[in-house]
Amino acid sequence: MFDQVHIIIHGYCDCATGLQESIEAYHKHKATVLKHRDTWKLHILIPLSCSVPDKLEETDNNIRFYENLPDTMIDRAGIRKRVFKHSIYSIYDEAMRPHYCVVEYATPLLTLYKMSQEASAGFSAEERLQQATLFFRTLQVILDDSLECRNHYRLILLDDCHPGNGEDLETDPHFLSKEILKHLKQQEQEEYCIGETSDAQQEAVKTQMSRQPTLMISNDYPQSLKST
């Protein structure tokens, strides 16, 4: 089984150098947008609900698309100058002041969400929550251990499920923007170890995961997981 986690990790590592070059090129022309070098990362959103909207502003109207970074082009699998895009968003605080960052959702979570919606997959909301948690932990470890990826990405774990009911989303309409702003503030103002997961992230992982499942994100059509 060809695991999607490897696809996304290889993609991040391949794009790491190009991403930094793209941010630096952008900064030369618009230095007032991405002002803090410590935030020159791709911020990857990992919601435990696995709910991934196509547009961030659909979840929180304090988040607005600003513009795309210059394209990153990489030769891959025989495709010359394959184009990768990353988007800059403006994140508004309570005083409606904009803060800018490069941010996107981790797309493999879509597979987990779709599997949990398929009755034939035999994949419960509880199992989906466990898999999302393990995906976060696996991706965090591998990105931290990769010299190419280290300090180029920041994972933002979103505990957007109420305890005991994996289908209930947070009622705060600005939950997402507040979480992103919290991470931006940490990067701008605090000293922290590169690649170290925040205490809040670690606590969310501990409280949400009751056992150690096997990561089951794949490109295959959803199959029953109860026999694995």
Side-chain angles (χ1 to χ4, degrees):
M1 184 177 289
F2 192 58
D3 201 333
Q4 267 193 19
V5 71
H6 294 297
I7 296 175
I8 193 171
I9 289 167
H10 288 312
Y12 289 150
C13 292
D14 288 347
C15 291
T17 300
L19 173 64
Q20 289 300 301
E21 292 175 350
S22 182
I23 294 176
E24 289 177 7
Y26 181 88
H27 182 70
K28 289 180 180 178
H29 297 285
K30 293 190 176 181
T32 59
V33 177
L34 299 174
K35 295 186 292 186
H36 300 280
R37 184 173 289 271
D38 284 342
T39 64
W40 287 12
K41 302 179 178 72
L42 175 58
H43 298 78
I44 305 171
L45 304 175
I46 302 185
L48 291 177
S49 69
C50 295
S51 178
V52 178
D54 292 330
K55 299 178 180 179
L56 271 67
E57 53 267 35
E58 294 176 355
T59 302
D60 187 333
N61 61 16
N62 275 357
I63 302 175
R64 299 171 194 172
F65 172 76
Y66 187 72
E67 64 180 329
N68 286 328
L69 285 173
D71 291 345
T72 299
M73 292 185 289
I74 298 173
D75 293 339
R76 177 184 289 179
I79 302 173
R80 298 299 181 91
K81 296 183 178 180
R82 183 173 182 178
V83 176
F84 292 84
K85 293 183 178 292
H86 300 289
S87 298
I88 301 173
Y89 281 84
S90 51
I91 318 295
Y92 290 85
D93 59 24
E94 294 180 353
M96 295 308 294
R97 294 170 299 197
H99 305 259
Y100 301 94
C101 68
V102 184
V103 60
E104 63 186 48
Y105 280 95
T107 54
L109 296 179
L110 281 169
T111 301
L112 293 178
Y113 188 80
K114 291 178 180 178
M115 288 173 66
S116 67
Q117 302 302 304
E118 289 282 346
S120 61
F123 189 58
S124 68
E126 180 183 355
E127 289 172 312
R128 184 186 69 198
L129 180 61
Q130 292 168 345
Q131 287 291 303
T133 304
L134 185 57
F135 173 78
F136 164 77
R137 295 180 63 178
T138 302
L139 186 57
Q140 180 80 67
V141 169
I142 296 177
L143 290 178
D144 288 351
D145 289 344
S146 169
L147 294 177
E148 295 88 353
C149 295
R150 190 179 303 162
N151 202 30
H152 294 315
Y153 300 94
R154 185 176 179 94
L155 303 186
I156 300 179
L157 183 68
L158 302 172
D159 185 5
D160 56 351
C161 299
H162 289 305
N165 189 344
E167 298 298 328
D168 289 338
L169 300 180
E170 284 286 342
T171 57
D172 185 353
H174 302 305
F175 167 73
L176 181 57
S177 59
K178 289 176 182 177
E179 288 298 306
I180 296 173
L181 287 171
K182 181 170 64 177
H183 281 261
L184 292 178
K185 184 177 180 180
Q186 288 174 354
Q187 293 172 89
E188 293 169 7
Q189 299 180 356
E190 299 176 5
E191 293 184 3
Y192 64 96
C193 296
I194 299 303
E196 182 178 352
T197 307
S198 68
D199 292 340
Q201 288 176 307
Q202 291 179 359
E203 185 61 29
V205 170
K206 291 177 182 178
T207 57
Q208 292 294 342
M209 193 169 190
S210 59
R211 59 185 176 89
Q212 290 284 350
T214 302
L215 192 60
M216 297 172 182
I217 302 176
S218 76
N219 282 337
D220 298 336
Y221 190 78
Q223 301 291 328
S224 176
L225 301 176
K226 292 190 178 299
S227 61
T228 58

